[in-house]
């Protein structure tokens, strides 16, 4: 492979989403990623269906495991632990999301493997990190969305808190972890040594609060739940129109004046209560009421045409099928298809990273459970007879 991370070997002991998302991104960028799974069952998400492919592989699994080779290993057995140690001996990265201390009893913790391979970058992903009063707790995206404050700012202002429709704390943790892995690899070029990376879903969820978190730290006021409105910008929200809804994203005073012209109420732009964004935030309810009334007189398509022509940021609220059918999305080829080892068509959402010098290559579809076990073990120096014996005992 000729990707940006070509020559980097990753051993992926993680399962479900945050860890596998990290591994898939590294694979997309050209790393060799070997996914270590439990014999017989594999990653839990293989069974998280429907929907699934005709062979039963769940769409959930397909979302986070492209570009990997699957090896089944029972790490609870000494022979299985030896397989992992052989994999790690010349690896650059290990990913794991076991409970804190969970791999130490198998001799697969950072201290043990760093003694074997001092250059190893060992990335641990947990719900709450390697230390602190919650370190022993299992981590679930839904729970972390609640604990982090994210749900308190998501949903209708007068309704119950809502989770985000995607497991965003898992996905963000995967993105942060992939960045951390690459930073550690870069550091290794100077020091010659790997290091332990401690990633926590709760930490990442707090970090992704971004301006909302900073609003609290600066103003010390608890951010309210605003539904589809923005805490710092007005008007920046969903509006109803004659045949549905659309998004209006007004980012400055010039755009606001253009909106007022579009709705044939230019006097709003010169009203002292609305002339600047801080004033519009202060008098949010009054202004939104004026705009909401005006937008009901035309259809979504008409408003989008008028507002776009006036240079006002706006857009439709697409369903997922409409999003994939959007001409811009189709042009960018965000839906792509691969073929797996048994000839099935495997649809995929493409990686959004575009590199001019080392473009991404999609070589391996998400693997079948244990699909590459024998080939990988042969590459580690096992004989076929030894591999057959491990199969017979369900070690691999």
């Amino acid at each position: 492979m000729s990707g940006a991370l070509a020559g980097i070997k990753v051993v992926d002991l993680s399962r479900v989403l945050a860890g596998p998302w990290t591994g898939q991104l590294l694979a997309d960028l050209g790393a060799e990623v070997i996914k270590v799974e439990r014999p017989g069952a594999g990653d839990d998400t293989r069974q998280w269906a429907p929907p699934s492919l005709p062979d039963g592989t769940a769409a959930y699994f397909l979302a986070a495991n492209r570009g990997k080779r699957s090896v089944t290993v029972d790490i609870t057995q000494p022979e299985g632990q030896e397989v992992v140690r052989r994999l790690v001996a010349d690896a650059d990265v290990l990913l794991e999301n076991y409970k804190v201390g969970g791999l130490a009893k198998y001799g697969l913790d950072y201290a043990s493997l760093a003694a074997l391979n001092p250059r190893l970058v060992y990335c641990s992903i947990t719900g709450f990190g390697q230390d602190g009063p919650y370190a022993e707790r299992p981590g679930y995206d839904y729970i972390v969305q609640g604990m982090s404050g994210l749900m308190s700012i998501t949903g209708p202002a007068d309704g119950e808190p809502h989770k985000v429709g995607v497991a965003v704390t898992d996905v963000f943790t995967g993105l942060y972890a992939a960045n951390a892995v690459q930073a550690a690899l870069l550091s290794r070029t100077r020091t010659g040594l790997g290091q332990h990376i401690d990633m926590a879903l709760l930490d990442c969820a707090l970090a992704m609060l971004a301006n909302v978190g900073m609003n609290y730290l600066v103003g010390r006021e608890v951010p309210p739940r605003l539904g589809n409105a923005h805490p710092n910008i007005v008007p920046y929200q969903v509006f109803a129109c004659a045949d549905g809804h659309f998004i209006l994203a007004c980012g400055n005073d010039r755009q606001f004046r253009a909106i007022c012209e579009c709705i044939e109420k230019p006097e709003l732009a010169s009203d002292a209560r609305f002339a600047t964004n801080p004033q519009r935030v202060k008098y949010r309810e009054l202004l939104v009421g004026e705009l909401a009334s005006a937008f009901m007189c035309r259809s979504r398509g008409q408003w989008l045409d008028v507002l776009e022509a006036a240079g006002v940021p706006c857009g439709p609220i697409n369903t997922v099928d409409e999003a994939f059918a959007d001409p811009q999305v189709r042009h960018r080829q965000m839906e792509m298809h691969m073929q797996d080892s048994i000839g099935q068509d495997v649809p995929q959402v493409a990686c959004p990273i575009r590199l001019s010098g080392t473009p991404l290559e999609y070589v391996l579809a998400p693997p079948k459970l244990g699909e590459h076990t024998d080939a990988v073990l042969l590459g580690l120096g096992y004989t076929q007879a030894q591999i057959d014996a491990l199969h017979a005992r369900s070690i691999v």
Side-chain angles (χ1 to χ4, degrees):
M1 296 180 69
S2 58
L5 294 182
I8 297 297
K9 177 181 175 181
V10 179
V11 177
D12 183 358
L13 271 64
S14 67
R15 61 268 193 225
V16 185
L17 188 53
W21 197 260
T22 308
Q24 177 169 274
L25 180 52
L26 298 175
D28 283 346
L29 292 170
E32 174 193 6
V33 180
I34 300 172
K35 184 177 179 69
V36 177
E37 303 186 70
R38 293 173 297 163
D43 191 315
D44 293 340
T45 62
R46 286 184 179 274
Q47 287 78 45
W48 286 10
S52 60
L53 294 178
D55 75 336
T57 304
Y60 200 117
F61 176 83
L62 301 175
N65 289 285
R66 175 179 62 236
K68 305 175 186 179
R69 293 192 289 167
S70 172
V71 174
T72 52
V73 179
D74 183 355
I75 66 170
T76 69
Q77 301 301 313
E79 297 92 335
Q81 295 156 21
E82 175 59 22
V83 171
V84 175
R85 280 191 285 270
R86 289 203 198 185
L87 284 170
V88 168
D90 66 345
D92 300 285
V93 179
L94 182 139
L95 306 174
E96 62 94 3
N97 58 357
Y98 284 75
K99 291 181 181 180
V100 172
L103 290 176
K105 59 186 174 183
Y106 306 129
L108 302 178
D109 55 306
Y110 172 65
S112 299
L113 296 184
L116 172 66
N117 177 0
R119 292 175 54 81
L120 182 68
V121 173
Y122 189 111
C123 181
S124 297
I125 299 173
T126 58
F128 303 99
Q130 298 294 303
D131 49 35
Y134 302 158
E136 301 298 323
R137 294 186 184 182
Y140 296 93
D141 171 271
Y142 201 164
I143 293 172
V144 170
Q145 285 198 41
M147 293 180 67
S148 65
L150 179 61
M151 286 179 63
S152 77
I153 59 169
T154 305
D158 56 353
E160 67 178 13
H162 282 50
K163 70 177 180 68
V164 181
V166 170
V168 288
T169 70
D170 274 332
V171 171
F172 266 76
T173 301
L175 295 174
Y176 275 115
N179 275 276
V181 164
Q182 292 173 86
L185 290 172
L186 184 60
S187 174
R188 191 182 68 177
T189 65
R190 298 189 300 269
T191 67
L193 296 173
Q195 57 185 293
H196 188 200
I197 298 170
D198 174 8
M199 299 297 309
L201 267 66
L202 184 59
D203 295 352
C204 293
L206 265 293
M208 64 177 280
L209 291 179
N211 60 295
V212 175
M214 192 57 64
N215 286 349
Y216 169 72
L217 293 179
V218 172
R220 293 296 168 178
E221 293 185 4
V222 178
R225 188 162 53 256
L226 296 173
N228 286 313
H230 194 288
N232 302 109
I233 312 171
V234 174
Y236 201 100
Q237 63 185 77
V238 170
F239 282 98
C241 55
D243 63 348
H245 296 80
F246 71 96
I247 299 167
L248 182 67
C250 175
N252 56 52
D253 297 338
R254 179 194 62 76
Q255 292 172 356
F256 179 66
R257 289 192 295 272
I259 292 169
C260 296
E261 293 291 337
C262 288
I263 64 173
E264 299 180 355
K265 290 190 176 183
E267 68 277 6
L268 293 179
S270 57
D271 189 317
R273 295 170 298 177
F274 312 136
T276 66
N277 185 68
Q279 287 296 99
R280 292 194 292 275
V281 172
K282 182 177 180 180
Y283 292 101
R284 178 195 299 269
E285 292 187 13
L286 183 59
L287 175 59
V288 168
E290 292 276 357
L291 297 176
S293 177
F295 285 133
M296 287 302 297
C297 71
R298 296 186 187 182
S299 69
R300 183 179 80 166
Q302 289 173 321
W303 279 123
L304 293 178
D305 289 343
V306 168
L307 291 166
E308 286 178 1
V312 177
C314 58
I317 301 172
N318 288 330
T319 56
V320 175
D321 60 320
E322 290 172 332
F324 277 105
D326 185 280
Q328 179 66 21
V329 174
R330 293 176 69 86
H331 175 80
R332 298 286 287 179
Q333 298 181 313
M334 286 303 296
E335 176 184 347
M336 57 97 170
H337 291 254
M338 305 181 74
Q339 191 172 73
D340 67 15
S341 58
I342 62 173
Q344 291 182 122
D345 176 74
V346 183
Q348 292 278 281
V349 182
C351 181
I353 297 173
R354 306 296 173 95
L355 299 175
S356 64
T358 52
L360 278 62
E361 298 178 1
Y362 302 110
V363 178
L364 297 173
K368 305 305 173 189
L369 179 61
E371 178 181 342
H372 306 96
T373 299
D374 287 12
V376 170
L377 293 186
L378 287 169
L380 294 175
Y382 286 87
T383 66
Q384 189 61 56
Q386 290 173 319
I387 295 170
D388 291 343
L390 291 174
H391 279 298
R393 296 180 54 207
S394 298
I395 301 299
V396 299

